[in-house]
Each structure stands twice: as structure tokens, then as C-alpha cells.
């Protein structure tokens, strides 16, 4: 089945230790998104790619970066995680204007 | 700042009742509207999308859109305990942007 896969499902990292979250898709969608979601809050858009074109939200901290080496894969790098970065990180894909297809998410814990 | 507003709830309804979830949005030019369901600790999954004014029905779910009032709703008929979840409203931005803005979601509890 075509899908969006995120790895790992759970990630524990130490304060300040870089961490990378990954996302892959078999849907061949142009657009890939990274959202951060904290408890009882709306998903907050961090970045999105339209093909190779990278779009950074104005309020995304510099601590967060992203890479999309090809259509299928996208990575979220957190250079120096703080306690406030603990959250669910959601990867999604879509064709422009169409509904989003979400991966299962990565729950990040910062100790 | 484009905004999508939802009552956070919880909305509690008895099994078999109709649950009505509401969403208002600020971007008057928005054309595409989505409802996602999110179970606790899981990722959102699409329930319905609607592009035109009026009603759109899919099984027990009906989405209603009123662009003049900038209002979109989701009705769940014959509510089941398995419908207990958070329902996120998402509105696509106008002006050629395809990026959706999410509301914070309404928590629905269906009690037996």
C-alpha cells in the first residue's frame, strides 16, 4: 500500500544532543511537510517542500533544519534539542490543494 | 494571520446521538476545507473534505460549508464510542497557497 512512513516511532535524546527524524513516502507527492504537535494543540507547520523548493515558516526556530534529498525522503534535524522541543513530529505529504496524508509520527522525548 | 477557530471541548454526547463539530475561519478567500480525526497519541487521518457551499455526506459523516459565514461543520450521526477522538479542522490558504492551517481541534467523547 502507498504510504508515509516515519522512523523512529519513539525517539529519546539528551538535552543538546543532535537528533534526526526521517520520513519516506511511496505516494510520489510533490509536497512534503513537517509539523510539530504538542499536547492539546494544533499541528504547527515547521517546513514544507514543493519538490525541491524549501519553505521555512517565519517562526520556526533556527535549531530546526530539514533536508529532502529526493522525492521519497525528507529529514528533520534538530541541532540542539531543548526540553521545549519535546513533542510529536508529524510528516505529511500531498499534491497541492489535496488532503494531507500523515505518517504515524515520531514522539520525541528530551531528557 | 490566518486563523481557524474550534471549540476545544470536550463535547460529550451519548451513543447514538448526533455530534456537531464547528469551525470558523478568517481567510475569506479559502476554497478547500478538511476534517481530520486524531486519536490520542496517533497521527491525524482524513475524514472529509469539502470545496463547495452546502452539504457533503459520506456514510455517517456530513460536512457543511457556508463560505459567506466563513463556517464549516462536521456532523456525525449515530455516534459510536469509537468516534471518541479529537477532530481537527483544516483550511487551505487563499491566494494560490496550498498550505492548510489547522485549528486546535475539538475533543469528542461518546459515552455508552
Amino acid at each position: 500500500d502507498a504510504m508515509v512512513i516515519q522512523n523512529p516511532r519513539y525517539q529519546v535524546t539528551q538535552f543538546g544532543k543532535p537528533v534526526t527524524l526521517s520520513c519516506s513516502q511511496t505516494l510520489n507527492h510533490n509536497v512534503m511537510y513537517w509539523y510539530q504537535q504538542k499536547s492539546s494543540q494544533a499541528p504547527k507547520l515547521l517546513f514544507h517542500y514543493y519538490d525541491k523548493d524549501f519553505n521555512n515558516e517565519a517562526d520556526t526556530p533556527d535549531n530546526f533544519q530539514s533536508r529532502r534529498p529526493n522525492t521519497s525522503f525528507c529529514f528533520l534535524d534538530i541541532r540542539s534539542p531543548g526540553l521545549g522541543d519535546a513533542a510529536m513530529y508529524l510528516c505529511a505529504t500531498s499534491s497541492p490543494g489535496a488532503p494531507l496524508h500523515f505518517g504515524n509520527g515520531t514522539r520525541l522525548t528530551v531528557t | 494571520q490566518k486563523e481557524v477557530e474550534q471549540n476545544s471541548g470536550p463535547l460529550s454526547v451519548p451513543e447514538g446521538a448526533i455530534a456537531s463539530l464547528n469551525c470558523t475561519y478568517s481567510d475569506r478567500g479559502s476554497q478547500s476545507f478538511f476534517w481530520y480525526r486524531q486519536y490520542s497519541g496517533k497521527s491525524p487521518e482524513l475524514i472529509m473534505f469539502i470545496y463547495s457551499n452546502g452539504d457533503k455526506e459520506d456514510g455517517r459523516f456530513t460536512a457543511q460549508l457556508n463560505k459567506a459565514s466563513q463556517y464549516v461543520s462536521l456532523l456525525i450521526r449515530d455516534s459510536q464510542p469509537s468516534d471518541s477522538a479529537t477532530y481537527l479542522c483544516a483550511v487551505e490558504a487563499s491566494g494560490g497557497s496550498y498550505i492548510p492551517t489547522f485549528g486546535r481541534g475539538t475533543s469528542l467523547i461518546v459515552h455508552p
Side-chain angles (χ1 to χ4, degrees):
Chain A
D1 284 344
M3 55 193 348
V4 182
I5 299 171
Q6 290 188 246
N7 283 303
R9 287 280 285 121
Y10 302 94
Q11 176 72 58
V12 180
T13 191
Q14 293 177 335
F15 184 95
K17 185 173 181 181
V19 65
T20 294
L21 311 182
S22 72
C23 177
S24 64
Q25 59 143 337
T26 59
L27 297 162
N28 205 34
H29 284 157
N30 300 97
V31 191
M32 293 187 79
Y33 310 79
W34 279 107
Y35 285 90
Q36 178 193 64
Q37 188 178 29
K38 297 184 178 181
S39 181
S40 301
Q41 295 184 18
K44 177 182 181 297
L45 183 64
L46 297 173
F47 315 97
H48 76 276
Y49 283 89
Y50 191 129
D51 293 328
K52 288 187 177 294
D53 292 336
F54 173 71
N55 297 273
N56 186 29
E57 293 301 296
D59 58 354
T60 298
D62 293 340
N63 196 26
F64 291 83
Q65 296 182 332
S66 184
R67 297 169 282 136
R68 188 180 186 184
N70 54 52
T71 300
S72 300
F73 286 88
C74 197
F75 300 96
L76 173 63
D77 301 309
I78 308 176
R79 290 191 295 182
S80 181
L83 297 179
D85 297 328
M88 174 79 90
Y89 290 87
L90 298 165
C91 174
T93 73
S94 76
S95 297
L100 270 58
H101 297 254
F102 284 90
N104 285 331
T106 294
R107 170 74 63 184
L108 178 68
T109 300
V110 182
T111 62
Chain B
Q1 180 75 13
K2 298 178 174 63
E3 295 183 348
V4 177
E5 299 289 339
Q6 295 181 259
N7 188 327
S8 61
L11 173 66
S12 182
V13 301
E15 184 174 358
I18 296 175
S20 178
L21 305 163
N22 305 314
C23 174
T24 59
Y25 59 95
S26 63
D27 186 350
R28 184 169 289 279
S30 294
Q31 299 294 324
S32 303
F33 307 86
F34 309 92
W35 282 99
Y36 293 85
R37 177 176 64 198
Q38 187 173 28
Y39 292 113
S40 181
K42 305 294 186 182
S43 61
E45 56 180 328
L46 181 71
I47 296 295
M48 296 279 292
F49 60 89
I50 187 167
Y51 301 139
S52 303
N53 274 331
D55 294 0
K56 178 181 179 183
E57 187 174 317
D58 184 1
R60 296 187 296 113
F61 299 94
T62 299
Q64 299 177 316
L65 175 61
N66 184 325
K67 291 183 182 179
S69 299
Q70 295 175 239
Y71 176 95
V72 58
S73 65
L74 179 70
L75 301 179
I76 307 174
R77 289 182 300 283
D78 188 24
S79 296
Q80 301 297 310
S82 59
D83 295 325
S84 299
T86 296
Y87 289 80
L88 298 166
C89 172
V91 177
E92 184 182 294
S94 62
S97 171
Y98 44 83
I99 304 302
T101 298
F102 282 85
R104 64 180 297 175
T106 298
S107 174
L108 173 66
I109 299 171
V110 181
H111 53 87

